[in-house]
Short mmCIF file of all heavy atoms in Angstrom, two decimals:
data_model
loop_
_atom_site.label_atom_id
_atom_site.label_comp_id
_atom_site.label_asym_id
_atom_site.label_seq_id
_atom_site.Cartn_x
_atom_site.Cartn_y
_atom_site.Cartn_z
N ALA B 346 27.97 40.58 24.55
CA ALA B 346 28.29 41.37 25.72
C ALA B 346 26.94 41.77 26.54
O ALA B 346 26.93 41.92 27.67
CB ALA B 346 29.04 42.64 25.32
N HIS B 347 25.85 41.71 25.67
CA HIS B 347 24.43 42.13 26.38
C HIS B 347 24.18 41.01 27.32
O HIS B 347 23.44 41.43 28.29
CB HIS B 347 23.39 42.30 25.22
CG HIS B 347 23.62 43.41 24.33
ND1 HIS B 347 24.03 44.74 24.80
CD2 HIS B 347 23.52 43.52 23.05
CE1 HIS B 347 24.11 45.52 23.72
NE2 HIS B 347 23.83 44.79 22.69
N HIS B 348 24.58 39.79 27.12
CA HIS B 348 24.23 38.76 27.98
C HIS B 348 25.46 38.57 29.03
O HIS B 348 25.28 37.80 29.95
CB HIS B 348 23.92 37.37 27.36
CG HIS B 348 23.21 37.61 26.03
ND1 HIS B 348 21.91 38.18 25.99
CD2 HIS B 348 23.49 37.32 24.72
CE1 HIS B 348 21.44 38.19 24.74
NE2 HIS B 348 22.41 37.77 24.02
N GLY B 349 26.51 39.13 28.72
CA GLY B 349 27.86 38.88 29.53
C GLY B 349 28.31 37.58 29.34
O GLY B 349 29.20 37.05 30.12
N GLU B 350 28.04 36.78 28.38
CA GLU B 350 28.47 35.39 28.14
C GLU B 350 29.20 35.35 26.76
O GLU B 350 28.61 35.80 25.72
CB GLU B 350 27.45 34.40 28.10
CG GLU B 350 27.05 34.01 29.56
CD GLU B 350 25.92 32.87 29.56
OE1 GLU B 350 26.16 31.83 28.93
OE2 GLU B 350 24.86 33.17 30.12
N PHE B 351 30.49 34.90 26.78
CA PHE B 351 31.19 34.84 25.60
C PHE B 351 31.52 33.36 24.95
O PHE B 351 32.27 32.72 25.58
CB PHE B 351 32.36 35.73 25.69
CG PHE B 351 32.11 37.09 26.08
CD1 PHE B 351 32.19 37.59 27.30
CD2 PHE B 351 31.73 38.01 25.04
CE1 PHE B 351 31.97 38.85 27.63
CE2 PHE B 351 31.40 39.31 25.35
CZ PHE B 351 31.59 39.72 26.71
N HIS B 352 30.94 33.13 23.94
CA HIS B 352 31.30 31.89 23.29
C HIS B 352 31.54 32.16 21.78
O HIS B 352 30.63 32.34 21.05
CB HIS B 352 30.21 30.91 23.39
CG HIS B 352 29.59 30.69 24.72
ND1 HIS B 352 30.35 30.08 25.76
CD2 HIS B 352 28.31 31.11 25.30
CE1 HIS B 352 29.57 30.11 26.92
NE2 HIS B 352 28.50 30.73 26.54
N PRO B 353 32.85 32.26 21.39
CA PRO B 353 33.18 32.72 20.07
C PRO B 353 32.51 32.06 19.05
O PRO B 353 32.09 32.62 17.97
CB PRO B 353 34.67 32.59 20.11
CG PRO B 353 35.21 32.62 21.44
CD PRO B 353 33.91 32.11 22.25
N PHE B 354 32.46 30.76 19.07
CA PHE B 354 31.97 29.99 17.88
C PHE B 354 30.53 29.21 18.12
O PHE B 354 30.30 28.32 17.46
CB PHE B 354 33.10 29.14 17.29
CG PHE B 354 34.25 29.92 16.98
CD1 PHE B 354 35.44 29.82 17.79
CD2 PHE B 354 34.20 30.82 15.90
CE1 PHE B 354 36.47 30.54 17.38
CE2 PHE B 354 35.42 31.61 15.77
CZ PHE B 354 36.45 31.39 16.38
N ALA B 355 29.95 29.69 19.19
CA ALA B 355 28.63 28.99 19.46
C ALA B 355 27.65 29.05 18.33
O ALA B 355 27.41 30.25 17.84
CB ALA B 355 28.00 29.46 20.80
N GLY B 356 27.15 28.10 17.76
CA GLY B 356 26.20 28.12 16.72
C GLY B 356 26.62 28.68 15.48
O GLY B 356 25.76 29.24 14.68
N ILE B 357 27.96 28.59 15.18
CA ILE B 357 28.39 29.29 14.06
C ILE B 357 27.82 28.73 12.77
O ILE B 357 27.86 29.43 11.63
CB ILE B 357 29.99 29.24 14.01
CG1 ILE B 357 30.56 30.36 13.12
CG2 ILE B 357 30.46 27.87 13.73
CD1 ILE B 357 32.07 30.52 13.13
N TRP B 358 27.26 27.50 12.80
CA TRP B 358 26.71 26.96 11.58
C TRP B 358 25.72 27.84 10.92
O TRP B 358 25.61 28.02 9.82
CB TRP B 358 26.28 25.53 11.75
CG TRP B 358 25.08 25.48 12.69
CD1 TRP B 358 25.11 25.27 14.05
CD2 TRP B 358 23.64 25.47 12.23
NE1 TRP B 358 23.71 25.30 14.38
CE2 TRP B 358 22.90 25.35 13.43
CE3 TRP B 358 22.98 25.70 11.12
CZ2 TRP B 358 21.52 25.41 13.46
CZ3 TRP B 358 21.59 25.63 10.98
CH2 TRP B 358 20.92 25.54 12.18
N ILE B 359 24.97 28.53 11.80
CA ILE B 359 23.78 29.42 11.21
C ILE B 359 24.51 30.62 10.49
O ILE B 359 24.14 31.01 9.48
CB ILE B 359 22.84 30.00 12.34
CG1 ILE B 359 22.39 28.80 13.14
CG2 ILE B 359 21.86 30.86 11.85
CD1 ILE B 359 21.45 29.11 14.30
N ASP B 360 25.55 31.20 11.13
CA ASP B 360 26.27 32.30 10.52
C ASP B 360 26.90 31.82 9.14
O ASP B 360 26.94 32.59 8.14
CB ASP B 360 27.49 32.67 11.35
CG ASP B 360 26.99 33.26 12.71
OD1 ASP B 360 26.84 32.28 13.63
OD2 ASP B 360 26.73 34.40 12.92
N LEU B 361 27.54 30.56 9.09
CA LEU B 361 28.02 30.12 7.83
C LEU B 361 26.93 29.83 6.86
O LEU B 361 27.05 30.13 5.56
CB LEU B 361 28.91 28.81 8.05
CG LEU B 361 30.05 29.13 8.88
CD1 LEU B 361 30.76 27.79 9.29
CD2 LEU B 361 31.07 29.88 8.25
N ALA B 362 25.74 29.23 7.16
CA ALA B 362 24.66 29.03 6.39
C ALA B 362 24.11 30.21 5.80
O ALA B 362 23.96 30.49 4.52
CB ALA B 362 23.49 28.30 7.11
N ALA B 363 24.14 31.31 6.65
CA ALA B 363 23.60 32.69 6.14
C ALA B 363 24.45 33.24 5.05
O ALA B 363 23.95 33.77 4.07
CB ALA B 363 23.39 33.62 7.36
N VAL B 364 25.85 33.18 5.37
CA VAL B 364 26.77 33.83 4.46
C VAL B 364 26.73 33.07 3.08
O VAL B 364 26.81 33.67 2.03
CB VAL B 364 28.13 34.04 5.04
CG1 VAL B 364 28.98 32.77 5.07
CG2 VAL B 364 28.91 35.12 4.30
N ILE B 365 26.59 31.78 3.20
CA ILE B 365 26.72 30.91 1.87
C ILE B 365 25.32 31.17 1.18
O ILE B 365 25.28 31.43 0.01
CB ILE B 365 26.88 29.47 2.17
CG1 ILE B 365 28.24 29.30 2.74
CG2 ILE B 365 26.41 28.62 1.04
CD1 ILE B 365 28.63 27.93 3.29
N GLY B 366 24.21 31.16 1.92
CA GLY B 366 22.99 31.29 1.36
C GLY B 366 22.70 32.69 0.75
O GLY B 366 22.37 32.74 -0.43
#
Side-chain angles (χ1 to χ4, degrees):
Chain B
H347 292 315
H348 324 294
E350 280 181 53
F351 297 103
H352 308 287
F354 303 111
I357 198 170
W358 67 269
I359 306 181
D360 302 87
L361 294 173
V364 76
I365 292 168

